[in-house]
Amino acid sequence: TVYFSLEGSLVCAYTQWLSHQPCPFYLQALEPCRLITLPLNVLHEAEAQHPELAEMARRLAEYLCIKLEERLHNQLVLSPEE
């Protein structure tokens, strides 16, 4: 287990998504869920037609970066009890 996500959370292998490389991890739902996928080329096509989506994509990248840093901090600084 690498990571747990709560209901309504965004889950993304962002590095692999951008680099077009296979992800070394897989997702496993503990209960029924709805999964939405977004191929990178679809996002780029949508951004070309609707430039305001580029802002949304930038915010998504920021969100993912923040979550990654929070997770690293928690693993490196906090005890398991915290």
Side-chain angles (χ1 to χ4, degrees):
T1 301
V2 174
Y3 190 77
F4 282 96
S5 292
L6 301 176
E7 183 176 337
S9 296
L10 174 67
V11 178
C12 181
Y14 194 63
T15 300
Q16 286 72 30
W17 192 52
L18 292 176
S19 65
H20 304 277
Q21 298 296 315
C23 183
F25 310 111
Y26 64 91
L27 300 177
Q28 181 179 7
L30 299 178
E31 56 187 50
C33 70
R34 183 175 73 179
L35 180 65
I36 300 170
T37 63
L38 179 63
L40 189 57
N41 66 311
V42 172
L43 177 61
H44 288 317
E45 290 170 10
E47 287 175 344
Q49 295 176 6
H50 307 281
E52 66 275 10
L53 291 178
E55 173 69 14
M56 185 180 76
R58 183 188 61 78
R59 289 183 184 199
L60 170 63
E62 290 173 353
Y63 169 82
L64 293 170
C65 185
I66 289 168
K67 290 300 175 187
L68 177 60
E69 285 194 14
E70 287 175 352
R71 185 164 182 271
L72 287 172
H73 173 267
N74 291 344
Q75 287 180 327
L76 297 172
V77 177
L78 302 178
S79 69
E81 292 79 25
E82 295 177 294

